[in-house]
Amino acid sequence: MSGVSENANDGGWEDWCGDEEDDQGTETKSLFCDKRFPTPQACLEFDESTFGFSLHKVMKILGIEFYDAVQLVNYIRFMTFSSTDVITKQKFDTAGALEEFMKQRKAGCLATDSLIEQFSKSLPSSDWKHDKFFRPFIQDDPLVMFGLQEPDDVSEEMEKTDDLCKLQQQMNDLKEQILEKTGVSVDELTDELY
């Protein structure tokens, strides 16, 4: 007897094969204002077009991976919450004043790439690379959970997950067919073999 159960109640692989909508169920808050979006990707696109900040480009320029990116996102959320500009470190009286300042800076900057470089240069790791920024600033933040991968990476991972879910479903169907035709479950057959 192998001792390994394939009972669906054991919380196995089947638990991961659910609706794709489950991953995107929570709205994603912008890094720089209170606006919310149905997906992390929509949020990131808004932040780039409105504030000139591209998380993926900054990650690439800084050469940071997932865990560093978690800290960076939580740091930016902390700075925004305290109405402090990430580039200049200037503190504003209200979040609205900070938001307006950032929009004006974006409007005055001719090239978005130069603004992204300004963001990158103003984010030395000594500012954000602290253990306290591993703790989520927003509980179950979809941006941290699903938005840190490049969009191509995300779709590749989703395709792999979909393929695995399909294979799992085919395997379950075959198990049912074996049970119907032989009256013996796959678990019992496996136990007899081992």
Side-chain angles (χ1 to χ4, degrees):
M1 190 173 268
S2 67
V4 176
S5 171
E6 295 199 12
N7 185 341
N9 294 332
D10 288 345
W13 173 252
E14 294 85 8
D15 292 345
W16 287 91
C17 298
D19 295 331
E20 288 176 18
E21 296 167 6
D22 290 346
D23 293 344
Q24 307 290 328
T26 305
E27 290 186 323
T28 306
K29 185 179 181 297
S30 165
L31 285 169
F32 303 105
C33 67
D34 287 330
K35 193 163 173 89
R36 295 181 181 275
F37 301 88
T39 66
Q41 187 59 33
C43 174
L44 294 173
E45 289 169 4
F46 170 82
D47 283 348
E48 185 168 6
S49 66
T50 305
F51 303 109
F53 181 83
S54 168
L55 180 60
H56 293 130
K57 288 178 184 176
V58 168
M59 286 171 59
K60 199 171 280 186
I61 290 170
L62 296 177
I64 63 177
E65 298 293 328
F66 177 80
Y67 291 108
D68 291 335
V70 168
Q71 290 175 299
L72 180 61
V73 165
N74 287 320
Y75 169 76
I76 292 170
R77 290 209 184 281
F78 168 76
M79 294 292 282
T80 301
F81 177 78
S82 58
S83 300
T84 305
D85 180 50
V86 173
I87 292 178
T88 64
K89 311 299 188 256
Q90 178 181 347
K91 181 143 176 63
F92 291 83
D93 292 333
T94 65
L98 169 62
E99 181 180 343
E100 190 57 37
F101 172 79
M102 292 183 68
K103 286 179 180 177
Q104 288 177 5
R105 176 176 51 217
K106 163 82 168 63
C109 188
L110 298 176
T112 301
D113 286 342
S114 67
L115 187 54
I116 290 169
E117 287 179 28
Q118 287 179 30
F119 272 110
S120 299
K121 289 177 184 173
S122 69
L123 291 167
S125 62
S126 59
D127 285 353
W128 53 267
K129 204 166 178 160
H130 299 282
D131 287 346
K132 69 181 179 180
F133 293 120
F134 275 126
R135 282 177 291 204
F137 195 80
I138 295 175
Q139 191 67 31
D140 299 325
D141 188 346
L143 190 56
V144 170
M145 295 166 54
F146 306 106
L148 296 178
Q149 293 179 310
E150 289 282 353
D152 291 341
D153 294 343
V154 171
S155 54
E156 284 178 26
E157 287 298 317
M158 288 179 76
E159 285 176 22
K160 289 178 186 176
T161 302
D162 287 345
D163 290 344
L164 288 172
C165 287
K166 288 175 187 173
L167 288 172
Q168 180 68 36
Q169 185 59 48
Q170 288 174 350
M171 195 167 79
N172 289 340
D173 292 344
L174 289 172
K175 287 179 182 179
E176 286 179 26
Q177 289 175 10
I178 290 171
L179 180 61
E180 287 174 10
K181 291 184 182 188
T182 65
V184 180
S185 75
V186 172
D187 292 336
E188 292 172 322
L189 288 173
T190 304
D191 290 344
E192 288 179 24
L193 291 173
Y194 297 103

